Amino acid sequence: MAQTKYIFVTGGVTSSLGKGIIAASLAKLLQSRGYKTTIQKLDPYINVDPGTLNPYEHGECYVTDDGAETDLDLGHYERFLNVRTSQANNVTTGRIYQSVIEKERRGEFLGKTVQVVPHITNEIKERVQLLGNSGEYDIIITEIGGTVGDIESLPYIEAVRQLLWELGDNNAIVIHLTLVPYLSAAGELKTKPTQHSVKTLMESGIKADILVCRTEHEISNEIKDKLALFCNVKREAVIQSIDASTIYDVPLLMQEEGLDTVTLQKLALPNNVAPDLGRWNEFLARHKNPKDEVTIGLVGKYVELQDSYKSILESFIHAGAANEVKVNVKSVHSEYITAANYENKLKGLDAILVAPGFGERGIEGKVKAVEYARVNKIPFLGICLGMQMAVIEYSRDVLGLENANSTEMDENTLDPVISIMEEQKTITDKGGTMRLGAWDCELKDGSLVKEMYNGASQISERHRHRYEFNNAYLEQLENAGLMATGFNKETNLVEIVEAKDHPWFIGVQYHPEYKSTVANPHPLFVGFVKAALEHKKAQSNATLA
């Protein structure tokens, strides 16, 4: 295509309407028609990135191949599109201001007074067009975080207004996602909040081209006509987005509503190729028609907020569909697992996953969960901190090193089986100082993990951690049966451990969940779910016998 087209997705009335899902669904439909599409997220908070945010604040922190700590919506983008994102796909107000201030300090503004307009808005526009100018994409979808009218979002809205004017007709459009609430007392859907939201957008100089209306009830043609008239959009551009049983239904619902068709029309792009959603529909069919089910315990310390482990939960959906198995995830708060109750808390599970995290809260509960899985031969997967807990548990209970710990939890531990990297010891800032992004890992011949990766000798996986396996204990642990089966050759750091005398016990220092997509479920999760099903069947047969 001669010129990259831009789609801006804004939100109104309330937050958490699902702009990311709508953006990803539209991108999937456009991609399935042959358009090279990507999505970026503009976040209005002042943190430079979500890396230092508590998961309770913002859900999980998603990491890209290039080591960017980003918003969890980028996970949706990758899972839907099967296209890798990067630092360029997530921009925060903090990063924008940091960049502008650094330019001012270097004297790049030649003594001018630095202002929101034009300096901040110019920086935003530059970031928005970074992917478009790369020549790799036909269409860039940009999701604006927050809600129209928020004081934090104003510079982004102004930047969008300027870009719409600069790019010209048919080169950029705005999709406004809003809420049409149902009042049970009145027994009807109300359009007034949407009207006010669109009015607020217009006060900023932006006219919505397409209106996507989130709703719990079907929106009648009469209401669509009313919204079109009062919100100044074409009738065919009023799109219903009703609650769905799964987020993976949304692309099909948007196709039924004609979102992709009206988008192509507004962008003056050819609409002569029907969407190819064959593989997507196959995945949905397997997901919705499982032949069996398993219950997997997710042991973590942020389980009250589902978004804290979003990628893990979605990976279970992908792996479940691959195995034609429904995965029931039972959340177990590690802070409430004790030596007295751990058997009761964990009994009846077909597999146990000990989740990533930071800090010492809930750590001993994770150690007990590892012990329960190891002793009872229950399939176990430890991710990042979960892998480190496996090393600690094995060191304590098998090697007999009672004080074994991570220096993250106990700086003065006598047996630091997990310790900080030497180059990290002098760093005082927390943001962006971990081992981040894609790192290579060599897999040992004959290992279970190599079998899970279909015989691959080398893999590349994404990391987000500061503490590492202490190689001083490697020989002792291997002699005791905890084998290191994956290494990074450059650093000689242990990436994977597995228990020798266990049917399926794997701990990985990286985050496999970040790379699982609908098109390519992660092989570790696929193998883990399969192992859970085999364990369940074995237990059932043993009971019958």
PDB file of all heavy atoms in Angstrom, residues 238-274:
ATOM      1  N   VAL A 238     -22.888   2.315  13.444  1.00  0.00           N
ATOM      2  CA  VAL A 238     -23.256   2.061  14.841  1.00  0.00           C
ATOM      3  C   VAL A 238     -23.187   0.550  15.051  1.00  0.00           C
ATOM      4  O   VAL A 238     -24.011  -0.197  14.524  1.00  0.00           O
ATOM      5  CB  VAL A 238     -24.662   2.597  15.174  1.00  0.00           C
ATOM      6  CG1 VAL A 238     -25.007   2.295  16.629  1.00  0.00           C
ATOM      7  CG2 VAL A 238     -24.740   4.101  14.916  1.00  0.00           C
ATOM      8  N   ILE A 239     -22.206   0.133  15.791  1.00  0.00           N
ATOM      9  CA  ILE A 239     -21.891  -1.294  15.935  1.00  0.00           C
ATOM     10  C   ILE A 239     -22.223  -1.771  17.353  1.00  0.00           C
ATOM     11  O   ILE A 239     -21.802  -1.158  18.334  1.00  0.00           O
ATOM     12  CB  ILE A 239     -20.391  -1.552  15.657  1.00  0.00           C
ATOM     13  CG1 ILE A 239     -19.973  -0.994  14.287  1.00  0.00           C
ATOM     14  CG2 ILE A 239     -20.049  -3.028  15.807  1.00  0.00           C
ATOM     15  CD1 ILE A 239     -20.587  -1.685  13.101  1.00  0.00           C
ATOM     16  N   GLN A 240     -22.974  -2.847  17.430  1.00  0.00           N
ATOM     17  CA  GLN A 240     -23.281  -3.431  18.740  1.00  0.00           C
ATOM     18  C   GLN A 240     -22.154  -4.360  19.175  1.00  0.00           C
ATOM     19  O   GLN A 240     -21.689  -5.188  18.405  1.00  0.00           O
ATOM     20  CB  GLN A 240     -24.591  -4.206  18.657  1.00  0.00           C
ATOM     21  CG  GLN A 240     -24.881  -5.063  19.892  1.00  0.00           C
ATOM     22  CD  GLN A 240     -26.125  -5.906  19.735  1.00  0.00           C
ATOM     23  OE1 GLN A 240     -27.223  -5.406  19.859  1.00  0.00           O
ATOM     24  NE2 GLN A 240     -25.948  -7.192  19.454  1.00  0.00           N
ATOM     25  N   SER A 241     -21.727  -4.228  20.442  1.00  0.00           N
ATOM     26  CA  SER A 241     -20.750  -5.154  21.027  1.00  0.00           C
ATOM     27  C   SER A 241     -21.367  -5.732  22.296  1.00  0.00           C
ATOM     28  O   SER A 241     -21.229  -5.175  23.383  1.00  0.00           O
ATOM     29  CB  SER A 241     -19.436  -4.431  21.346  1.00  0.00           C
ATOM     30  OG  SER A 241     -18.542  -5.307  21.998  1.00  0.00           O
ATOM     31  N   ILE A 242     -22.051  -6.841  22.130  1.00  0.00           N
ATOM     32  CA  ILE A 242     -22.764  -7.462  23.251  1.00  0.00           C
ATOM     33  C   ILE A 242     -21.827  -8.393  24.017  1.00  0.00           C
ATOM     34  O   ILE A 242     -20.835  -8.889  23.473  1.00  0.00           O
ATOM     35  CB  ILE A 242     -24.015  -8.209  22.726  1.00  0.00           C
ATOM     36  CG1 ILE A 242     -25.017  -8.457  23.858  1.00  0.00           C
ATOM     37  CG2 ILE A 242     -23.632  -9.497  22.000  1.00  0.00           C
ATOM     38  CD1 ILE A 242     -26.416  -8.809  23.375  1.00  0.00           C
ATOM     39  N   ASP A 243     -22.134  -8.614  25.288  1.00  0.00           N
ATOM     40  CA  ASP A 243     -21.315  -9.519  26.104  1.00  0.00           C
ATOM     41  C   ASP A 243     -21.193 -10.884  25.426  1.00  0.00           C
ATOM     42  O   ASP A 243     -22.180 -11.424  24.912  1.00  0.00           O
ATOM     43  CB  ASP A 243     -21.938  -9.696  27.488  1.00  0.00           C
ATOM     44  CG  ASP A 243     -21.792  -8.454  28.361  1.00  0.00           C
ATOM     45  OD1 ASP A 243     -21.139  -7.498  27.899  1.00  0.00           O
ATOM     46  OD2 ASP A 243     -22.318  -8.437  29.485  1.00  0.00           O
ATOM     47  N   ALA A 244     -19.978 -11.430  25.439  1.00  0.00           N
ATOM     48  CA  ALA A 244     -19.713 -12.723  24.801  1.00  0.00           C
ATOM     49  C   ALA A 244     -19.249 -13.728  25.839  1.00  0.00           C
ATOM     50  O   ALA A 244     -18.729 -13.363  26.893  1.00  0.00           O
ATOM     51  CB  ALA A 244     -18.659 -12.564  23.708  1.00  0.00           C
ATOM     52  N   SER A 245     -19.434 -15.016  25.539  1.00  0.00           N
ATOM     53  CA  SER A 245     -19.028 -16.067  26.485  1.00  0.00           C
ATOM     54  C   SER A 245     -17.513 -16.163  26.587  1.00  0.00           C
ATOM     55  O   SER A 245     -16.972 -16.591  27.599  1.00  0.00           O
ATOM     56  CB  SER A 245     -19.616 -17.417  26.062  1.00  0.00           C
ATOM     57  OG  SER A 245     -19.150 -17.778  24.770  1.00  0.00           O
ATOM     58  N   THR A 246     -16.805 -15.764  25.546  1.00  0.00           N
ATOM     59  CA  THR A 246     -15.345 -15.751  25.547  1.00  0.00           C
ATOM     60  C   THR A 246     -14.855 -14.601  24.678  1.00  0.00           C
ATOM     61  O   THR A 246     -15.525 -14.235  23.692  1.00  0.00           O
ATOM     62  CB  THR A 246     -14.762 -17.078  25.017  1.00  0.00           C
ATOM     63  OG1 THR A 246     -13.364 -16.930  24.750  1.00  0.00           O
ATOM     64  CG2 THR A 246     -15.442 -17.534  23.739  1.00  0.00           C
ATOM     65  N   ILE A 247     -13.708 -14.037  25.012  1.00  0.00           N
ATOM     66  CA  ILE A 247     -13.183 -12.922  24.209  1.00  0.00           C
ATOM     67  C   ILE A 247     -12.894 -13.351  22.783  1.00  0.00           C
ATOM     68  O   ILE A 247     -12.879 -12.527  21.862  1.00  0.00           O
ATOM     69  CB  ILE A 247     -11.909 -12.312  24.836  1.00  0.00           C
ATOM     70  CG1 ILE A 247     -10.800 -13.364  24.983  1.00  0.00           C
ATOM     71  CG2 ILE A 247     -12.211 -11.639  26.161  1.00  0.00           C
ATOM     72  CD1 ILE A 247      -9.454 -12.788  25.393  1.00  0.00           C
ATOM     73  N   TYR A 248     -12.695 -14.652  22.576  1.00  0.00           N
ATOM     74  CA  TYR A 248     -12.354 -15.139  21.242  1.00  0.00           C
ATOM     75  C   TYR A 248     -13.563 -15.210  20.316  1.00  0.00           C
ATOM     76  O   TYR A 248     -13.431 -15.479  19.119  1.00  0.00           O
ATOM     77  CB  TYR A 248     -11.664 -16.503  21.354  1.00  0.00           C
ATOM     78  CG  TYR A 248     -10.388 -16.421  22.166  1.00  0.00           C
ATOM     79  CD1 TYR A 248     -10.313 -16.946  23.462  1.00  0.00           C
ATOM     80  CD2 TYR A 248      -9.266 -15.761  21.669  1.00  0.00           C
ATOM     81  CE1 TYR A 248      -9.146 -16.841  24.213  1.00  0.00           C
ATOM     82  CE2 TYR A 248      -8.104 -15.651  22.414  1.00  0.00           C
ATOM     83  CZ  TYR A 248      -8.046 -16.186  23.685  1.00  0.00           C
ATOM     84  OH  TYR A 248      -6.896 -16.063  24.436  1.00  0.00           O
ATOM     85  N   ASP A 249     -14.764 -14.959  20.864  1.00  0.00           N
ATOM     86  CA  ASP A 249     -15.966 -14.819  20.033  1.00  0.00           C
ATOM     87  C   ASP A 249     -16.064 -13.427  19.418  1.00  0.00           C
ATOM     88  O   ASP A 249     -16.776 -13.234  18.426  1.00  0.00           O
ATOM     89  CB  ASP A 249     -17.229 -15.037  20.885  1.00  0.00           C
ATOM     90  CG  ASP A 249     -17.558 -16.510  21.072  1.00  0.00           C
ATOM     91  OD1 ASP A 249     -17.264 -17.310  20.172  1.00  0.00           O
ATOM     92  OD2 ASP A 249     -18.121 -16.850  22.136  1.00  0.00           O
ATOM     93  N   VAL A 250     -15.382 -12.467  20.016  1.00  0.00           N
ATOM     94  CA  VAL A 250     -15.591 -11.056  19.643  1.00  0.00           C
ATOM     95  C   VAL A 250     -15.265 -10.772  18.173  1.00  0.00           C
ATOM     96  O   VAL A 250     -16.026 -10.060  17.507  1.00  0.00           O
ATOM     97  CB  VAL A 250     -14.836 -10.109  20.597  1.00  0.00           C
ATOM     98  CG1 VAL A 250     -15.030  -8.649  20.188  1.00  0.00           C
ATOM     99  CG2 VAL A 250     -15.330 -10.322  22.037  1.00  0.00           C
ATOM    100  N   PRO A 251     -14.159 -11.306  17.596  1.00  0.00           N
ATOM    101  CA  PRO A 251     -13.934 -11.037  16.164  1.00  0.00           C
ATOM    102  C   PRO A 251     -15.106 -11.476  15.286  1.00  0.00           C
ATOM    103  O   PRO A 251     -15.483 -10.769  14.338  1.00  0.00           O
ATOM    104  CB  PRO A 251     -12.676 -11.861  15.850  1.00  0.00           C
ATOM    105  CG  PRO A 251     -11.953 -11.969  17.144  1.00  0.00           C
ATOM    106  CD  PRO A 251     -13.035 -12.070  18.180  1.00  0.00           C
ATOM    107  N   LEU A 252     -15.715 -12.611  15.607  1.00  0.00           N
ATOM    108  CA  LEU A 252     -16.838 -13.103  14.809  1.00  0.00           C
ATOM    109  C   LEU A 252     -18.070 -12.225  15.001  1.00  0.00           C
ATOM    110  O   LEU A 252     -18.804 -11.951  14.045  1.00  0.00           O
ATOM    111  CB  LEU A 252     -17.165 -14.549  15.197  1.00  0.00           C
ATOM    112  CG  LEU A 252     -16.009 -15.556  15.066  1.00  0.00           C
ATOM    113  CD1 LEU A 252     -16.470 -16.950  15.459  1.00  0.00           C
ATOM    114  CD2 LEU A 252     -15.456 -15.564  13.644  1.00  0.00           C
ATOM    115  N   LEU A 253     -18.286 -11.767  16.242  1.00  0.00           N
ATOM    116  CA  LEU A 253     -19.412 -10.860  16.503  1.00  0.00           C
ATOM    117  C   LEU A 253     -19.223  -9.531  15.775  1.00  0.00           C
ATOM    118  O   LEU A 253     -20.177  -8.957  15.238  1.00  0.00           O
ATOM    119  CB  LEU A 253     -19.559 -10.619  18.007  1.00  0.00           C
ATOM    120  CG  LEU A 253     -19.963 -11.833  18.853  1.00  0.00           C
ATOM    121  CD1 LEU A 253     -19.904 -11.496  20.347  1.00  0.00           C
ATOM    122  CD2 LEU A 253     -21.364 -12.315  18.477  1.00  0.00           C
ATOM    123  N   MET A 254     -17.978  -9.039  15.758  1.00  0.00           N
ATOM    124  CA  MET A 254     -17.693  -7.783  15.053  1.00  0.00           C
ATOM    125  C   MET A 254     -17.838  -7.949  13.541  1.00  0.00           C
ATOM    126  O   MET A 254     -18.265  -7.026  12.844  1.00  0.00           O
ATOM    127  CB  MET A 254     -16.279  -7.296  15.397  1.00  0.00           C
ATOM    128  CG  MET A 254     -16.113  -6.819  16.841  1.00  0.00           C
ATOM    129  SD  MET A 254     -17.214  -5.452  17.301  1.00  0.00           S
ATOM    130  CE  MET A 254     -18.566  -6.325  18.092  1.00  0.00           C
ATOM    131  N   GLN A 255     -17.512  -9.141  13.051  1.00  0.00           N
ATOM    132  CA  GLN A 255     -17.700  -9.410  11.621  1.00  0.00           C
ATOM    133  C   GLN A 255     -19.192  -9.403  11.271  1.00  0.00           C
ATOM    134  O   GLN A 255     -19.597  -8.836  10.252  1.00  0.00           O
ATOM    135  CB  GLN A 255     -17.075 -10.760  11.266  1.00  0.00           C
ATOM    136  CG  GLN A 255     -17.146 -11.076   9.776  1.00  0.00           C
ATOM    137  CD  GLN A 255     -16.687 -12.490   9.449  1.00  0.00           C
ATOM    138  OE1 GLN A 255     -16.566 -13.339  10.327  1.00  0.00           O
ATOM    139  NE2 GLN A 255     -16.444 -12.751   8.175  1.00  0.00           N
ATOM    140  N   GLU A 256     -19.997 -10.028  12.137  1.00  0.00           N
ATOM    141  CA  GLU A 256     -21.453 -10.041  11.921  1.00  0.00           C
ATOM    142  C   GLU A 256     -22.022  -8.627  11.885  1.00  0.00           C
ATOM    143  O   GLU A 256     -22.930  -8.321  11.113  1.00  0.00           O
ATOM    144  CB  GLU A 256     -22.147 -10.831  13.035  1.00  0.00           C
ATOM    145  CG  GLU A 256     -22.010 -12.334  12.930  1.00  0.00           C
ATOM    146  CD  GLU A 256     -22.638 -13.047  14.123  1.00  0.00           C
ATOM    147  OE1 GLU A 256     -23.503 -12.434  14.793  1.00  0.00           O
ATOM    148  OE2 GLU A 256     -22.259 -14.205  14.384  1.00  0.00           O
ATOM    149  N   GLU A 257     -21.465  -7.758  12.741  1.00  0.00           N
ATOM    150  CA  GLU A 257     -21.950  -6.378  12.813  1.00  0.00           C
ATOM    151  C   GLU A 257     -21.410  -5.512  11.681  1.00  0.00           C
ATOM    152  O   GLU A 257     -21.838  -4.376  11.491  1.00  0.00           O
ATOM    153  CB  GLU A 257     -21.561  -5.766  14.160  1.00  0.00           C
ATOM    154  CG  GLU A 257     -22.398  -6.235  15.326  1.00  0.00           C
ATOM    155  CD  GLU A 257     -23.809  -5.660  15.295  1.00  0.00           C
ATOM    156  OE1 GLU A 257     -23.962  -4.427  15.224  1.00  0.00           O
ATOM    157  OE2 GLU A 257     -24.763  -6.458  15.335  1.00  0.00           O
ATOM    158  N   GLY A 258     -20.397  -6.038  10.957  1.00  0.00           N
ATOM    159  CA  GLY A 258     -19.840  -5.290   9.824  1.00  0.00           C
ATOM    160  C   GLY A 258     -18.792  -4.267  10.200  1.00  0.00           C
ATOM    161  O   GLY A 258     -18.552  -3.315   9.452  1.00  0.00           O
ATOM    162  N   LEU A 259     -18.137  -4.427  11.350  1.00  0.00           N
ATOM    163  CA  LEU A 259     -17.124  -3.450  11.777  1.00  0.00           C
ATOM    164  C   LEU A 259     -15.987  -3.353  10.772  1.00  0.00           C
ATOM    165  O   LEU A 259     -15.535  -2.255  10.426  1.00  0.00           O
ATOM    166  CB  LEU A 259     -16.587  -3.826  13.160  1.00  0.00           C
ATOM    167  CG  LEU A 259     -15.462  -2.931  13.708  1.00  0.00           C
ATOM    168  CD1 LEU A 259     -15.925  -1.479  13.815  1.00  0.00           C
ATOM    169  CD2 LEU A 259     -14.975  -3.438  15.069  1.00  0.00           C
ATOM    170  N   ASP A 260     -15.504  -4.498  10.289  1.00  0.00           N
ATOM    171  CA  ASP A 260     -14.396  -4.470   9.333  1.00  0.00           C
ATOM    172  C   ASP A 260     -14.820  -3.857   8.002  1.00  0.00           C
ATOM    173  O   ASP A 260     -14.056  -3.111   7.378  1.00  0.00           O
ATOM    174  CB  ASP A 260     -13.817  -5.875   9.128  1.00  0.00           C
ATOM    175  CG  ASP A 260     -14.876  -6.902   8.750  1.00  0.00           C
ATOM    176  OD1 ASP A 260     -16.050  -6.738   9.140  1.00  0.00           O
ATOM    177  OD2 ASP A 260     -14.531  -7.893   8.071  1.00  0.00           O
ATOM    178  N   THR A 261     -16.049  -4.135   7.590  1.00  0.00           N
ATOM    179  CA  THR A 261     -16.546  -3.612   6.308  1.00  0.00           C
ATOM    180  C   THR A 261     -16.631  -2.090   6.331  1.00  0.00           C
ATOM    181  O   THR A 261     -16.151  -1.407   5.409  1.00  0.00           O
ATOM    182  CB  THR A 261     -17.939  -4.206   5.997  1.00  0.00           C
ATOM    183  OG1 THR A 261     -17.845  -5.623   5.994  1.00  0.00           O
ATOM    184  CG2 THR A 261     -18.453  -3.725   4.657  1.00  0.00           C
ATOM    185  N   VAL A 262     -17.246  -1.546   7.376  1.00  0.00           N
ATOM    186  CA  VAL A 262     -17.389  -0.091   7.456  1.00  0.00           C
ATOM    187  C   VAL A 262     -16.036   0.584   7.668  1.00  0.00           C
ATOM    188  O   VAL A 262     -15.791   1.692   7.170  1.00  0.00           O
ATOM    189  CB  VAL A 262     -18.410   0.307   8.556  1.00  0.00           C
ATOM    190  CG1 VAL A 262     -17.864   0.092   9.955  1.00  0.00           C
ATOM    191  CG2 VAL A 262     -18.864   1.749   8.382  1.00  0.00           C
ATOM    192  N   THR A 263     -15.115  -0.087   8.362  1.00  0.00           N
ATOM    193  CA  THR A 263     -13.763   0.461   8.553  1.00  0.00           C
ATOM    194  C   THR A 263     -13.052   0.601   7.217  1.00  0.00           C
ATOM    195  O   THR A 263     -12.455   1.651   6.922  1.00  0.00           O
ATOM    196  CB  THR A 263     -12.951  -0.441   9.499  1.00  0.00           C
ATOM    197  OG1 THR A 263     -13.564  -0.448  10.789  1.00  0.00           O
ATOM    198  CG2 THR A 263     -11.520   0.061   9.635  1.00  0.00           C
ATOM    199  N   LEU A 264     -13.092  -0.450   6.404  1.00  0.00           N
ATOM    200  CA  LEU A 264     -12.436  -0.399   5.090  1.00  0.00           C
ATOM    201  C   LEU A 264     -13.064   0.675   4.206  1.00  0.00           C
ATOM    202  O   LEU A 264     -12.374   1.374   3.461  1.00  0.00           O
ATOM    203  CB  LEU A 264     -12.523  -1.774   4.404  1.00  0.00           C
ATOM    204  CG  LEU A 264     -11.705  -2.893   5.058  1.00  0.00           C
ATOM    205  CD1 LEU A 264     -12.019  -4.235   4.407  1.00  0.00           C
ATOM    206  CD2 LEU A 264     -10.208  -2.604   4.964  1.00  0.00           C
ATOM    207  N   GLN A 265     -14.369   0.822   4.315  1.00  0.00           N
ATOM    208  CA  GLN A 265     -15.077   1.848   3.547  1.00  0.00           C
ATOM    209  C   GLN A 265     -14.603   3.244   3.957  1.00  0.00           C
ATOM    210  O   GLN A 265     -14.312   4.094   3.107  1.00  0.00           O
ATOM    211  CB  GLN A 265     -16.576   1.702   3.783  1.00  0.00           C
ATOM    212  CG  GLN A 265     -17.439   2.703   3.046  1.00  0.00           C
ATOM    213  CD  GLN A 265     -18.897   2.625   3.499  1.00  0.00           C
ATOM    214  OE1 GLN A 265     -19.379   1.576   3.926  1.00  0.00           O
ATOM    215  NE2 GLN A 265     -19.578   3.757   3.442  1.00  0.00           N
ATOM    216  N   LYS A 266     -14.496   3.469   5.274  1.00  0.00           N
ATOM    217  CA  LYS A 266     -14.066   4.784   5.767  1.00  0.00           C
ATOM    218  C   LYS A 266     -12.621   5.093   5.370  1.00  0.00           C
ATOM    219  O   LYS A 266     -12.252   6.261   5.198  1.00  0.00           O
ATOM    220  CB  LYS A 266     -14.183   4.837   7.294  1.00  0.00           C
ATOM    221  CG  LYS A 266     -15.588   4.675   7.839  1.00  0.00           C
ATOM    222  CD  LYS A 266     -16.352   5.964   7.816  1.00  0.00           C
ATOM    223  CE  LYS A 266     -17.741   5.808   8.436  1.00  0.00           C
ATOM    224  NZ  LYS A 266     -18.549   7.039   8.281  1.00  0.00           N
ATOM    225  N   LEU A 267     -11.797   4.031   5.265  1.00  0.00           N
ATOM    226  CA  LEU A 267     -10.382   4.224   4.908  1.00  0.00           C
ATOM    227  C   LEU A 267     -10.149   4.139   3.403  1.00  0.00           C
ATOM    228  O   LEU A 267      -9.005   4.196   2.941  1.00  0.00           O
ATOM    229  CB  LEU A 267      -9.520   3.183   5.622  1.00  0.00           C
ATOM    230  CG  LEU A 267      -9.423   3.313   7.147  1.00  0.00           C
ATOM    231  CD1 LEU A 267      -8.696   2.112   7.738  1.00  0.00           C
ATOM    232  CD2 LEU A 267      -8.715   4.609   7.545  1.00  0.00           C
ATOM    233  N   ALA A 268     -11.224   3.991   2.643  1.00  0.00           N
ATOM    234  CA  ALA A 268     -11.139   3.886   1.179  1.00  0.00           C
ATOM    235  C   ALA A 268     -10.204   2.766   0.751  1.00  0.00           C
ATOM    236  O   ALA A 268      -9.379   2.917  -0.155  1.00  0.00           O
ATOM    237  CB  ALA A 268     -10.687   5.227   0.578  1.00  0.00           C
ATOM    238  N   LEU A 269     -10.344   1.618   1.424  1.00  0.00           N
ATOM    239  CA  LEU A 269      -9.531   0.438   1.098  1.00  0.00           C
ATOM    240  C   LEU A 269     -10.403  -0.630   0.431  1.00  0.00           C
ATOM    241  O   LEU A 269     -11.601  -0.731   0.718  1.00  0.00           O
ATOM    242  CB  LEU A 269      -8.902  -0.138   2.370  1.00  0.00           C
ATOM    243  CG  LEU A 269      -7.786   0.685   3.015  1.00  0.00           C
ATOM    244  CD1 LEU A 269      -7.381   0.068   4.346  1.00  0.00           C
ATOM    245  CD2 LEU A 269      -6.577   0.779   2.081  1.00  0.00           C
ATOM    246  N   PRO A 270      -9.811  -1.432  -0.462  1.00  0.00           N
ATOM    247  CA  PRO A 270     -10.575  -2.483  -1.136  1.00  0.00           C
ATOM    248  C   PRO A 270     -11.208  -3.473  -0.155  1.00  0.00           C
ATOM    249  O   PRO A 270     -10.594  -3.844   0.849  1.00  0.00           O
ATOM    250  CB  PRO A 270      -9.520  -3.189  -1.997  1.00  0.00           C
ATOM    251  CG  PRO A 270      -8.426  -2.189  -2.178  1.00  0.00           C
ATOM    252  CD  PRO A 270      -8.414  -1.365  -0.927  1.00  0.00           C
ATOM    253  N   ASN A 271     -12.429  -3.867  -0.481  1.00  0.00           N
ATOM    254  CA  ASN A 271     -13.166  -4.814   0.366  1.00  0.00           C
ATOM    255  C   ASN A 271     -13.548  -6.026  -0.477  1.00  0.00           C
ATOM    256  O   ASN A 271     -14.690  -6.457  -0.492  1.00  0.00           O
ATOM    257  CB  ASN A 271     -14.405  -4.126   0.935  1.00  0.00           C
ATOM    258  CG  ASN A 271     -15.210  -5.028   1.853  1.00  0.00           C
ATOM    259  OD1 ASN A 271     -14.715  -6.044   2.320  1.00  0.00           O
ATOM    260  ND2 ASN A 271     -16.467  -4.672   2.078  1.00  0.00           N
ATOM    261  N   ASN A 272     -12.556  -6.538  -1.220  1.00  0.00           N
ATOM    262  CA  ASN A 272     -12.865  -7.611  -2.169  1.00  0.00           C
ATOM    263  C   ASN A 272     -12.313  -8.975  -1.749  1.00  0.00           C
ATOM    264  O   ASN A 272     -12.360  -9.931  -2.516  1.00  0.00           O
ATOM    265  CB  ASN A 272     -12.325  -7.257  -3.565  1.00  0.00           C
ATOM    266  CG  ASN A 272     -10.860  -6.830  -3.526  1.00  0.00           C
ATOM    267  OD1 ASN A 272     -10.206  -6.989  -2.498  1.00  0.00           O
ATOM    268  ND2 ASN A 272     -10.368  -6.285  -4.629  1.00  0.00           N
ATOM    269  N   VAL A 273     -11.775  -9.063  -0.529  1.00  0.00           N
ATOM    270  CA  VAL A 273     -11.267 -10.340  -0.027  1.00  0.00           C
ATOM    271  C   VAL A 273     -12.030 -10.701   1.247  1.00  0.00           C
ATOM    272  O   VAL A 273     -12.036  -9.930   2.212  1.00  0.00           O
ATOM    273  CB  VAL A 273      -9.745 -10.268   0.282  1.00  0.00           C
ATOM    274  CG1 VAL A 273      -9.258 -11.592   0.863  1.00  0.00           C
ATOM    275  CG2 VAL A 273      -8.961  -9.923  -0.986  1.00  0.00           C
ATOM    276  N   ALA A 274     -12.669 -11.845   1.237  1.00  0.00           N
ATOM    277  CA  ALA A 274     -13.423 -12.276   2.418  1.00  0.00           C
ATOM    278  C   ALA A 274     -12.462 -12.698   3.525  1.00  0.00           C
ATOM    279  O   ALA A 274     -11.386 -13.245   3.250  1.00  0.00           O
ATOM    280  CB  ALA A 274     -14.334 -13.441   2.060  1.00  0.00           C
TER     281      ALA A 274
END
